[in-house]
Amino acid sequence: QRPEEPAERQNARHKQKRSRKRSNWGFVLFMVAFSFTLSVVFSYSSSVALENADLLVALLILLFFIAIGIAFDILGVAATSSEEKTFHSMASRRVPGAKEAIWLLKNAEKVASLCNDVVGDICGVISGATGATISVQLISQLGTNGVLTPLVVTGLTASLTIGGKAMGKTLAVNQGTKVVFFAARVLHFFKKLLGRGA
C-alpha cells in the first residue's frame, strides 16, 4: 500500500493544477481576442487593397495570403518537431535568437495552435474571399463562363494552399531547427527594435 502523500506536496500539486487551468483559460481568451483582431485587420486590409484593384493586383493579393498561410503552417509544424537541446549551447554563447528559439519550443503546442489554427484558418478565409473577387473580375472583364470560373478559381486556390502546405510540412520536419531559428531571429530583431531585447 502506497504511503499517503504529505499535505504540503498535495497542496503544491493542487496549486499547480489551478495555475495550469488559469493559464489554459488565459491562452484560450488570448486566442479568441487575437483571432478576432487579426481577422478584422486582414479583412479590412484585403478589402482596401482589392477596392478598384485590377486583376493582376488581386492575383498577387491572393498569392500573398496563400504564402502567409503556408509560412505559418511550416513554423507550427517545425515548432512541434524540433528539439531544444540544439539551442541551449547557442544560448550559453549568447547567439542572437537562441533564447527566442527555446521559448518557441517550450511553448510548441501554443505556437502550433496560433500558427496552424488561427493564422492558417484566417488566411484560408481571406483567400476564399479574394478568389471570389477574382472570379467576378474574370467574368465581368474577360467574359469568362459564370459557372466554371468560380469553380476553377476555387480549385486552383485550394490546390495551391494544400500543395504548398504539403511541401512545407516536409521542409518543417526535415529542416525544423533552421525554420525555428529563422523565426527566432525575426522575433529577436523585433524585440531589439522595440527596445525589449538585449
Side-chain angles (χ1 to χ4, degrees):
Q1 189 175 4
R2 292 178 58 188
E4 288 190 11
E5 193 174 27
E8 291 182 1
R9 188 176 296 177
Q10 287 182 349
N11 290 336
R13 286 180 58 207
H14 289 316
K15 287 181 180 178
Q16 190 176 16
K17 286 182 180 179
R18 286 197 298 269
S19 177
R20 191 180 296 118
K21 285 181 180 179
R22 285 196 296 269
S23 177
N24 289 338
W25 275 110
F27 179 68
V28 170
L29 292 175
F30 167 77
M31 290 283 281
V32 171
F34 182 76
S35 302
F36 176 80
T37 303
L38 191 65
S39 61
V40 169
V41 170
F42 275 13
S43 297
Y44 178 76
S45 300
S46 62
S47 298
V48 170
L50 287 169
E51 190 175 0
N52 300 321
D54 58 26
L55 186 59
L56 178 60
V57 173
L59 286 170
L60 291 175
I61 292 171
L62 175 61
L63 292 175
F64 171 76
F65 280 108
I66 290 175
I68 290 288
I70 292 171
F72 275 86
D73 190 74
I74 292 171
L75 176 57
V77 175
T80 57
S81 62
S82 303
E83 296 183 354
E84 285 183 45
K85 61 182 182 181
T86 306
F87 298 104
H88 282 291
S89 61
M90 296 171 64
S92 66
R93 301 194 307 271
R94 298 187 178 183
V95 176
K99 289 183 179 179
E100 287 79 8
I102 292 171
W103 182 86
L104 286 172
L105 296 180
K106 282 185 180 295
N107 296 276
E109 184 180 344
K110 294 178 179 179
V111 171
S113 181
L114 184 68
C115 293
N116 299 103
D117 298 332
V118 177
V119 179
D121 290 350
I122 291 173
C123 285
V125 172
I126 302 299
S127 296
T130 306
T133 301
I134 291 173
S135 297
V136 171
Q137 289 182 336
L138 287 171
I139 294 168
S140 61
Q141 295 178 15
L142 303 180
T144 57
N145 187 282
V147 176
L148 290 178
T149 299
L151 296 177
V152 172
V153 172
T154 301
L156 287 173
T157 302
S159 61
L160 284 173
T161 303
I162 294 169
K165 288 186 176 183
M167 290 188 293
K169 281 180 171 60
T170 302
L171 173 66
V173 171
N174 295 332
Q175 303 290 333
T177 300
K178 292 181 179 179
V179 172
V180 171
F181 188 50
F182 176 79
R185 291 294 297 268
V186 173
L187 279 176
H188 180 78
F189 170 78
F190 280 107
K191 283 176 68 176
K192 287 193 69 175
L193 197 65
L194 297 172
R196 298 180 60 185

